[in-house]
Short mmCIF file of all heavy atoms in Angstrom, two decimals:
data_model
loop_
_atom_site.label_atom_id
_atom_site.label_comp_id
_atom_site.label_asym_id
_atom_site.label_seq_id
_atom_site.Cartn_x
_atom_site.Cartn_y
_atom_site.Cartn_z
N VAL A 164 90.50 131.69 110.18
CA VAL A 164 89.62 130.81 110.97
C VAL A 164 89.75 129.39 110.51
O VAL A 164 89.85 128.45 111.28
CB VAL A 164 88.17 131.28 110.90
CG1 VAL A 164 87.22 130.29 111.50
CG2 VAL A 164 88.01 132.63 111.59
N GLN A 165 89.73 129.18 109.15
CA GLN A 165 89.81 127.79 108.66
C GLN A 165 91.18 127.19 108.99
O GLN A 165 91.24 126.01 109.23
CB GLN A 165 89.60 127.79 107.17
CG GLN A 165 88.13 128.00 106.81
CD GLN A 165 87.88 128.08 105.30
OE1 GLN A 165 88.86 128.19 104.50
NE2 GLN A 165 86.65 128.01 104.93
N ALA A 166 92.23 127.98 108.97
CA ALA A 166 93.55 127.45 109.25
C ALA A 166 93.63 126.99 110.71
O ALA A 166 94.29 125.99 111.04
CB ALA A 166 94.61 128.48 108.98
N VAL A 167 92.94 127.69 111.61
CA VAL A 167 92.99 127.27 113.02
C VAL A 167 92.06 126.09 113.28
O VAL A 167 92.37 125.24 114.08
CB VAL A 167 92.55 128.50 113.84
CG1 VAL A 167 92.35 128.08 115.32
CG2 VAL A 167 93.54 129.60 113.75
N ARG A 168 90.94 125.97 112.57
CA ARG A 168 89.92 124.97 112.87
C ARG A 168 90.12 123.63 112.14
O ARG A 168 89.24 122.85 112.08
CB ARG A 168 88.58 125.49 112.53
CG ARG A 168 88.11 126.61 113.43
CD ARG A 168 86.71 126.98 113.12
NE ARG A 168 86.28 128.11 113.94
CZ ARG A 168 85.13 128.72 113.82
NH1 ARG A 168 84.28 128.29 112.89
NH2 ARG A 168 84.83 129.70 114.57
N ARG A 169 91.26 123.41 111.62
CA ARG A 169 91.45 122.15 110.83
C ARG A 169 92.31 121.15 111.61
O ARG A 169 93.46 120.92 111.27
CB ARG A 169 92.18 122.46 109.53
CG ARG A 169 91.28 123.06 108.51
CD ARG A 169 92.03 123.07 107.19
NE ARG A 169 91.24 123.68 106.17
CZ ARG A 169 91.72 123.94 104.98
NH1 ARG A 169 92.94 123.68 104.69
NH2 ARG A 169 90.94 124.49 104.07
N PRO A 170 91.81 120.57 112.61
CA PRO A 170 92.60 119.53 113.29
C PRO A 170 92.60 118.23 112.43
O PRO A 170 91.56 117.80 112.00
CB PRO A 170 91.84 119.30 114.59
CG PRO A 170 90.43 119.66 114.25
CD PRO A 170 90.48 120.72 113.21
N TYR A 171 93.77 117.79 112.13
CA TYR A 171 93.88 116.61 111.31
C TYR A 171 94.02 115.38 112.20
O TYR A 171 94.83 115.33 113.08
CB TYR A 171 95.09 116.67 110.39
CG TYR A 171 94.92 117.69 109.29
CD1 TYR A 171 95.77 118.80 109.23
CD2 TYR A 171 93.95 117.54 108.33
CE1 TYR A 171 95.62 119.72 108.21
CE2 TYR A 171 93.82 118.48 107.30
CZ TYR A 171 94.67 119.54 107.23
OH TYR A 171 94.52 120.44 106.24
N GLY A 172 93.19 114.42 111.93
CA GLY A 172 93.28 113.12 112.62
C GLY A 172 94.18 112.22 111.81
O GLY A 172 94.82 112.60 110.81
N PRO A 173 94.28 111.00 112.21
CA PRO A 173 95.14 110.04 111.52
C PRO A 173 94.57 109.81 110.13
O PRO A 173 93.35 109.77 109.93
CB PRO A 173 95.06 108.78 112.37
CG PRO A 173 93.87 108.95 113.22
CD PRO A 173 93.63 110.41 113.38
N GLU A 174 95.42 109.68 109.18
CA GLU A 174 95.00 109.40 107.79
C GLU A 174 94.63 107.94 107.67
O GLU A 174 95.27 107.06 108.21
CB GLU A 174 96.11 109.75 106.82
CG GLU A 174 96.35 111.22 106.75
CD GLU A 174 97.42 111.54 105.72
OE1 GLU A 174 98.60 111.30 106.02
OE2 GLU A 174 97.07 112.00 104.63
N ARG A 175 93.59 107.73 106.92
CA ARG A 175 93.14 106.35 106.63
C ARG A 175 93.02 106.20 105.11
O ARG A 175 92.37 107.04 104.45
CB ARG A 175 91.78 106.08 107.29
CG ARG A 175 91.94 106.06 108.81
CD ARG A 175 90.64 105.60 109.44
NE ARG A 175 90.78 105.55 110.89
CZ ARG A 175 90.52 106.57 111.70
NH1 ARG A 175 90.08 107.71 111.21
NH2 ARG A 175 90.67 106.45 112.99
N LEU A 176 93.61 105.15 104.60
CA LEU A 176 93.44 104.88 103.20
C LEU A 176 92.17 104.13 102.93
O LEU A 176 91.73 103.28 103.74
CB LEU A 176 94.60 103.99 102.69
CG LEU A 176 95.96 104.67 102.69
CD1 LEU A 176 97.04 103.67 102.30
CD2 LEU A 176 96.00 105.85 101.76
N ARG A 177 91.50 104.46 101.83
CA ARG A 177 90.30 103.72 101.45
C ARG A 177 90.69 102.29 101.11
O ARG A 177 91.77 102.07 100.59
CB ARG A 177 89.65 104.37 100.26
CG ARG A 177 88.93 105.65 100.63
CD ARG A 177 88.26 106.27 99.43
NE ARG A 177 89.25 107.18 98.89
CZ ARG A 177 89.35 107.53 97.64
NH1 ARG A 177 88.48 107.06 96.75
NH2 ARG A 177 90.23 108.38 97.22
N PRO A 178 89.85 101.32 101.44
CA PRO A 178 90.14 99.92 101.11
C PRO A 178 90.47 99.71 99.63
O PRO A 178 91.32 98.89 99.30
CB PRO A 178 88.86 99.20 101.49
CG PRO A 178 88.23 100.09 102.51
CD PRO A 178 88.56 101.44 102.14
N SER A 179 89.87 100.50 98.75
CA SER A 179 90.16 100.34 97.34
C SER A 179 91.63 100.75 96.97
O SER A 179 92.24 100.10 96.15
CB SER A 179 89.16 101.18 96.48
OG SER A 179 89.29 102.55 96.86
N VAL A 180 92.14 101.75 97.70
CA VAL A 180 93.51 102.17 97.47
C VAL A 180 94.48 101.09 97.98
O VAL A 180 95.45 100.74 97.35
CB VAL A 180 93.78 103.53 98.14
CG1 VAL A 180 95.27 103.89 98.02
CG2 VAL A 180 92.94 104.59 97.50
N VAL A 181 94.16 100.54 99.15
CA VAL A 181 95.00 99.42 99.71
C VAL A 181 94.99 98.26 98.78
O VAL A 181 96.03 97.68 98.48
CB VAL A 181 94.50 99.06 101.13
CG1 VAL A 181 95.29 97.86 101.64
CG2 VAL A 181 94.66 100.27 102.10
N ALA A 182 93.84 97.89 98.26
CA ALA A 182 93.70 96.79 97.31
C ALA A 182 94.52 97.04 96.03
O ALA A 182 95.13 96.13 95.52
CB ALA A 182 92.24 96.54 96.99
N LEU A 183 94.51 98.31 95.58
CA LEU A 183 95.26 98.66 94.37
C LEU A 183 96.76 98.48 94.62
O LEU A 183 97.46 97.84 93.79
CB LEU A 183 94.98 100.13 94.02
CG LEU A 183 95.74 100.62 92.78
CD1 LEU A 183 95.27 99.93 91.50
CD2 LEU A 183 95.54 102.11 92.66
N VAL A 184 97.26 98.89 95.76
CA VAL A 184 98.68 98.77 96.07
C VAL A 184 99.04 97.26 96.24
O VAL A 184 100.03 96.80 95.72
CB VAL A 184 99.05 99.57 97.34
CG1 VAL A 184 100.46 99.24 97.79
CG2 VAL A 184 98.92 101.03 97.06
N GLU A 185 98.16 96.55 96.93
CA GLU A 185 98.45 95.12 97.12
C GLU A 185 98.38 94.35 95.81
O GLU A 185 99.02 93.33 95.64
CB GLU A 185 97.45 94.53 98.13
CG GLU A 185 97.72 95.03 99.55
CD GLU A 185 96.63 94.59 100.52
OE1 GLU A 185 95.56 94.01 100.07
OE2 GLU A 185 96.84 94.78 101.70
N GLY A 186 97.58 94.87 94.85
CA GLY A 186 97.43 94.19 93.59
C GLY A 186 98.62 94.35 92.64
O GLY A 186 98.72 93.60 91.66
N VAL A 187 99.51 95.27 92.88
CA VAL A 187 100.69 95.46 92.06
C VAL A 187 101.95 95.10 92.84
O VAL A 187 102.93 95.86 92.82
CB VAL A 187 100.73 96.90 91.49
CG1 VAL A 187 99.61 97.15 90.53
CG2 VAL A 187 100.72 97.92 92.61
N ALA A 188 101.92 93.99 93.51
CA ALA A 188 103.05 93.62 94.40
C ALA A 188 104.34 93.49 93.68
O ALA A 188 105.43 93.65 94.23
CB ALA A 188 102.71 92.31 95.10
N ASP A 189 104.34 93.18 92.36
CA ASP A 189 105.55 93.00 91.60
C ASP A 189 106.11 94.36 91.07
O ASP A 189 107.15 94.38 90.46
CB ASP A 189 105.35 92.03 90.43
CG ASP A 189 104.28 92.46 89.49
OD1 ASP A 189 103.35 93.17 89.96
OD2 ASP A 189 104.38 92.11 88.31
N GLN A 190 105.40 95.46 91.30
CA GLN A 190 105.79 96.78 90.91
C GLN A 190 106.13 97.60 92.12
O GLN A 190 105.78 97.29 93.24
CB GLN A 190 104.66 97.43 90.12
CG GLN A 190 104.19 96.68 88.88
CD GLN A 190 105.27 96.67 87.83
OE1 GLN A 190 105.96 97.66 87.63
NE2 GLN A 190 105.44 95.50 87.18
N VAL A 191 106.78 98.71 91.85
CA VAL A 191 107.07 99.71 92.95
C VAL A 191 105.88 100.64 93.05
O VAL A 191 105.50 101.30 92.11
CB VAL A 191 108.36 100.50 92.68
CG1 VAL A 191 108.57 101.55 93.75
CG2 VAL A 191 109.54 99.57 92.60
N ALA A 192 105.25 100.65 94.23
CA ALA A 192 104.11 101.58 94.47
C ALA A 192 104.24 102.14 95.87
O ALA A 192 104.42 101.38 96.86
CB ALA A 192 102.80 100.88 94.29
N ILE A 193 104.15 103.44 95.99
CA ILE A 193 104.21 104.12 97.32
C ILE A 193 103.06 105.09 97.40
O ILE A 193 102.89 105.87 96.50
CB ILE A 193 105.57 104.85 97.48
CG1 ILE A 193 106.73 103.84 97.39
CG2 ILE A 193 105.60 105.54 98.87
CD1 ILE A 193 108.06 104.55 97.36
N ILE A 194 102.35 105.09 98.50
CA ILE A 194 101.33 106.07 98.75
C ILE A 194 101.82 106.97 99.88
O ILE A 194 102.13 106.48 100.95
CB ILE A 194 99.97 105.39 99.21
CG1 ILE A 194 99.54 104.34 98.19
CG2 ILE A 194 98.92 106.42 99.45
CD1 ILE A 194 99.17 104.89 96.83
N LEU A 195 101.92 108.29 99.57
CA LEU A 195 102.39 109.23 100.57
C LEU A 195 101.24 109.94 101.21
O LEU A 195 100.25 110.30 100.56
CB LEU A 195 103.34 110.23 99.91
CG LEU A 195 104.64 109.66 99.34
CD1 LEU A 195 105.43 110.75 98.69
CD2 LEU A 195 105.46 108.94 100.40
N GLY A 196 101.34 110.24 102.50
CA GLY A 196 100.33 110.96 103.22
C GLY A 196 100.53 112.47 103.06
O GLY A 196 101.43 112.96 102.33
N ARG A 197 99.69 113.26 103.72
CA ARG A 197 99.73 114.72 103.57
C ARG A 197 101.04 115.30 104.03
O ARG A 197 101.43 116.40 103.64
CB ARG A 197 98.54 115.32 104.28
CG ARG A 197 98.65 115.41 105.79
CD ARG A 197 97.50 116.20 106.41
NE ARG A 197 96.22 115.57 106.30
CZ ARG A 197 95.73 114.70 107.17
NH1 ARG A 197 96.42 114.39 108.21
NH2 ARG A 197 94.56 114.14 106.98
N TYR A 198 101.75 114.62 104.94
CA TYR A 198 103.07 115.13 105.42
C TYR A 198 104.20 114.35 104.81
O TYR A 198 105.30 114.32 105.32
CB TYR A 198 103.09 115.02 106.97
CG TYR A 198 102.05 115.83 107.63
CD1 TYR A 198 100.99 115.25 108.30
CD2 TYR A 198 102.03 117.23 107.54
CE1 TYR A 198 99.99 116.01 108.92
CE2 TYR A 198 101.05 118.01 108.11
CZ TYR A 198 100.02 117.39 108.82
OH TYR A 198 99.06 118.15 109.38
N PHE A 199 103.91 113.75 103.67
CA PHE A 199 104.90 113.00 102.88
C PHE A 199 105.45 111.81 103.65
O PHE A 199 106.56 111.34 103.43
CB PHE A 199 106.03 113.86 102.37
CG PHE A 199 105.55 114.93 101.43
CD1 PHE A 199 105.36 116.24 101.84
CD2 PHE A 199 105.21 114.59 100.11
CE1 PHE A 199 104.90 117.18 100.99
CE2 PHE A 199 104.71 115.53 99.22
CZ PHE A 199 104.55 116.86 99.66
N ASP A 200 104.64 111.31 104.60
CA ASP A 200 105.02 110.09 105.23
C ASP A 200 104.44 108.92 104.45
O ASP A 200 103.47 109.07 103.71
CB ASP A 200 104.50 110.02 106.71
CG ASP A 200 103.02 110.26 106.76
OD1 ASP A 200 102.50 111.01 105.92
OD2 ASP A 200 102.35 109.73 107.66
N ARG A 201 105.02 107.77 104.55
CA ARG A 201 104.58 106.64 103.72
C ARG A 201 103.37 106.00 104.39
O ARG A 201 103.44 105.50 105.52
CB ARG A 201 105.71 105.61 103.60
CG ARG A 201 105.38 104.50 102.63
CD ARG A 201 106.56 103.65 102.29
NE ARG A 201 107.19 103.15 103.50
CZ ARG A 201 108.43 102.71 103.59
NH1 ARG A 201 109.19 102.78 102.54
NH2 ARG A 201 108.94 102.26 104.71
N SER A 202 102.27 106.03 103.70
CA SER A 202 101.02 105.45 104.20
C SER A 202 100.88 103.97 103.78
O SER A 202 100.29 103.18 104.49
CB SER A 202 99.79 106.21 103.69
OG SER A 202 99.82 107.54 104.20
N ALA A 203 101.38 103.65 102.60
CA ALA A 203 101.35 102.23 102.11
C ALA A 203 102.40 102.09 101.04
O ALA A 203 102.83 103.06 100.42
CB ALA A 203 99.99 101.96 101.49
N ALA A 204 102.86 100.86 100.90
CA ALA A 204 103.90 100.58 99.90
C ALA A 204 103.92 99.08 99.62
O ALA A 204 103.53 98.27 100.47
CB ALA A 204 105.25 101.02 100.40
N THR A 205 104.34 98.77 98.45
CA THR A 205 104.53 97.37 98.06
C THR A 205 105.86 96.88 98.66
O THR A 205 106.70 97.69 99.04
CB THR A 205 104.53 97.17 96.54
OG1 THR A 205 105.60 97.94 96.01
CG2 THR A 205 103.23 97.54 95.88
N GLY A 206 106.05 95.62 98.69
CA GLY A 206 107.31 95.04 99.20
C GLY A 206 108.49 95.52 98.44
O GLY A 206 109.56 95.86 98.99
N SER A 207 108.34 95.60 97.05
CA SER A 207 109.49 96.04 96.25
C SER A 207 109.79 97.52 96.51
O SER A 207 110.95 97.93 96.45
CB SER A 207 109.22 95.77 94.80
OG SER A 207 107.99 96.31 94.38
N ALA A 208 108.78 98.28 96.81
CA ALA A 208 109.03 99.72 97.14
C ALA A 208 109.74 99.86 98.47
O ALA A 208 110.61 100.69 98.61
CB ALA A 208 107.71 100.48 97.14
#
């Protein structure tokens, strides 16, 4: 029942996570979603 009733909507990153990624712009940082799609990344990443 739980497997059927779990419709996933679009993923949203918390503002704190976005700020963290933006704060390390000189480093490689990638945030992956539940389907291993890229949700956020720094320019160097």
Side-chain angles (χ1 to χ4, degrees):
V164 169
Q165 287 178 347
V167 172
R168 291 186 184 176
R169 284 189 181 174
Y171 290 116
E174 291 182 284
R175 292 188 178 90
L176 293 176
R177 285 181 268 153
S179 59
V180 174
V181 174
L183 179 67
V184 171
E185 290 173 350
V187 293
D189 59 331
Q190 301 293 320
V191 175
I193 301 172
I194 306 294
L195 298 177
R197 75 174 69 88
Y198 299 113
F199 297 102
D200 55 327
R201 188 169 54 201
S202 296
T205 59
S207 54

